[in-house]
Amino acid sequence: MKGSAVIVGAGIGGLAAGRALRAVGWQVDILERAEGLPRTGTALGMWPEAIAALDALGLGEQVRRRAVLQRGAEFLRPDGRTFARVTPQEAAYLISRPALHELLHDGTLESAVAWNSPVVDLDTLPAADLVVGADGINSQVRHFVARRFSPPRPLGTVAYRGTVPGSVRSVTETWGSGLLFGITPQDSGTTNWFACVRDDVLAEHDLKIDIRNLLERLYGGWHPAVTNVLAKVDPDQVDRRPLYDLAPLRSFVRDRTVVLGDAAHAMAPSAGRGACEALVDAVELANSLGSADSVAEGLRDFDARRRLAAQRVVRMSRQMNRLSTARRFTRARNVAMGAVARLI
């Protein structure tokens, strides 16, 4: 079937849904509170499922050309010694968030996105056959779909992330006691970094000091790859945010309204799967609607295909967040991670 859709949110999930629905003949309007596409952002890992979704959107080759191919990762102790290596059978690609947004938007959706258009009241949305909530972790649409106020759940950790000049060839994640530090390529001249710190560790430090000084206190004495990145950090370019995920919804659908991406299943970044799952959502939504005789039938099919699968990834990501920032039994944790990695 074909129809008209209003999409709330022009993030990765919203733009991908817009492209996917247009490809199967739908009329699409996208409302976004931001003034335009993001100009800055860190690297996103595109796992094979996401690459397949991007292929379905006609963007796979463009992403491959602009991304950095990555075939595995090393997990390190603070002294730099490796305790686990992951080498999956299929490679992943790392691409910057602004680049992915640009590819999803340009060439198809320029006339479809109404920027600077926040949605406060769903009753004010334009008439349409379908409403898609792609409005992120603080989604207004989700509250309607859930039939109750459905706030995010705090994970008890805070993320710091950014980029620095220079390139690296490998992906590493260093696990300490209550904190971790990750380093990945972003492009030929930029390195992406991210740090995750437990709330109770942060409580032991003065949070009023400069962010770079705080990071140096947290990660002082760690191996040179970490300290070299920290020496290049621009405090004004660091993104800091407490981490949350979502409790499982009973359904992603209510009447003619559906949620996807972070609005439906926001997750800890620990498994690097948030953007991937949003892309898969978008393609599966278009597939379900494209093969259905009605919106209701298509949305039921989408919910059956995606809800439990996405919620499994939420649980896995939450567990990885707890494991990677544990403060107790860290030696046993590292041994266990090394054993699991050998099975991948």
Side-chain angles (χ1 to χ4, degrees):
M1 67 162 298
K2 301 176 183 179
S4 60
V6 172
I7 299 174
V8 183
I12 290 169
L15 292 175
R19 290 187 74 100
L21 288 171
R22 277 201 163 182
V24 294
W26 281 65
Q27 175 188 331
V28 173
D29 293 295
I30 305 176
L31 305 176
E32 168 56 45
R33 67 171 60 246
E35 295 181 355
L37 293 171
R39 297 179 181 178
T40 60
T42 52
L44 299 170
M46 297 288 101
W47 295 92
E49 300 91 337
I51 291 295
L54 289 163
D55 283 333
L57 295 171
L59 297 173
E61 286 307 313
Q62 294 182 65
V63 168
R64 290 180 182 94
R65 286 197 297 269
R66 295 184 64 168
V68 177
L69 181 65
Q70 196 57 52
R71 295 193 178 277
E74 285 188 301
F75 294 83
L76 311 177
R77 297 179 177 89
D79 62 7
R81 289 182 296 165
T82 300
F83 66 84
R85 286 187 177 89
V86 175
T87 308
Q89 293 183 350
E90 296 184 79
Y93 290 83
L94 295 168
I95 186 168
S96 75
R97 183 180 294 275
L100 183 58
H101 274 264
E102 179 185 323
L103 289 172
L104 289 167
H105 173 264
D106 291 356
T108 299
L109 298 176
E110 290 95 336
S111 62
V113 182
W115 302 104
N116 199 26
S117 300
V119 175
V120 179
D121 185 349
L122 300 188
D123 291 336
T124 65
L125 291 175
D129 300 307
L130 172 69
V131 174
V132 179
D135 47 340
I137 192 168
N138 295 309
S139 170
Q140 295 296 312
V141 182
R142 181 175 68 251
H143 303 322
F144 170 78
V145 169
R147 301 175 186 267
R148 58 181 173 80
F149 182 58
S150 177
R153 302 183 297 188
L155 286 163
T157 50
V158 175
Y160 298 85
R161 54 193 177 189
T163 60
V164 296
S167 61
V168 293
R169 294 184 177 181
S170 60
V171 171
T172 63
E173 200 166 283
T174 305
W175 292 8
S177 174
L179 64 171
L180 68 81
F181 198 94
I183 302 171
T184 77
Q186 176 148 304
D187 54 43
S188 59
T190 310
T191 292
N192 176 76
W193 66 269
F194 53 94
C196 188
V197 189
R198 284 172 53 117
D199 289 348
D200 54 356
V201 173
L202 283 177
E204 298 168 2
H205 294 267
D206 180 3
L207 301 185
K208 296 179 181 179
I209 64 174
D210 176 272
I211 286 181
R212 187 167 71 180
N213 289 335
L214 173 63
L215 293 172
E216 288 174 346
R217 292 186 185 185
L218 289 167
Y219 298 97
W222 285 33
H223 59 86
V226 172
T227 55
N228 289 343
V229 167
L230 289 177
K232 300 177 184 178
V233 167
D234 179 351
D236 294 330
Q237 300 299 318
V238 175
D239 177 81
R240 177 196 184 278
R241 63 186 64 199
L243 295 179
Y244 299 84
D245 68 3
L246 284 179
L249 298 177
R250 293 182 178 179
S251 175
F252 288 171
V253 172
R254 179 181 175 186
D255 301 332
R256 62 185 179 94
T257 301
V258 60
V259 286
L260 54 74
D262 282 353
H265 48 69
M267 61 190 67
S270 306
R273 294 292 296 256
C276 297
E277 297 303 312
L279 291 167
V280 175
D281 284 349
V283 171
E284 290 292 349
L285 176 63
N287 289 342
S288 292
L289 290 167
S291 60
D293 293 327
S294 67
V295 170
E297 178 187 333
L299 293 184
R300 284 195 301 271
D301 184 68
F302 169 76
D303 191 60
R305 289 172 179 267
R306 287 299 299 152
R307 181 167 49 85
L308 295 181
Q311 289 170 351
R312 283 194 293 270
V313 182
V314 174
R315 290 194 298 272
M316 176 185 70
S317 299
R318 188 178 184 89
Q319 291 164 0
M320 282 295 294
N321 181 264
R322 289 176 173 173
L323 182 69
S324 61
T325 59
R327 298 193 76 174
R328 300 177 61 195
F329 309 114
T330 56
R331 181 176 296 180
R333 170 198 67 182
N334 293 353
V335 170
M337 181 63 186
V340 170
R342 288 190 290 272
L343 301 176
I344 298 176

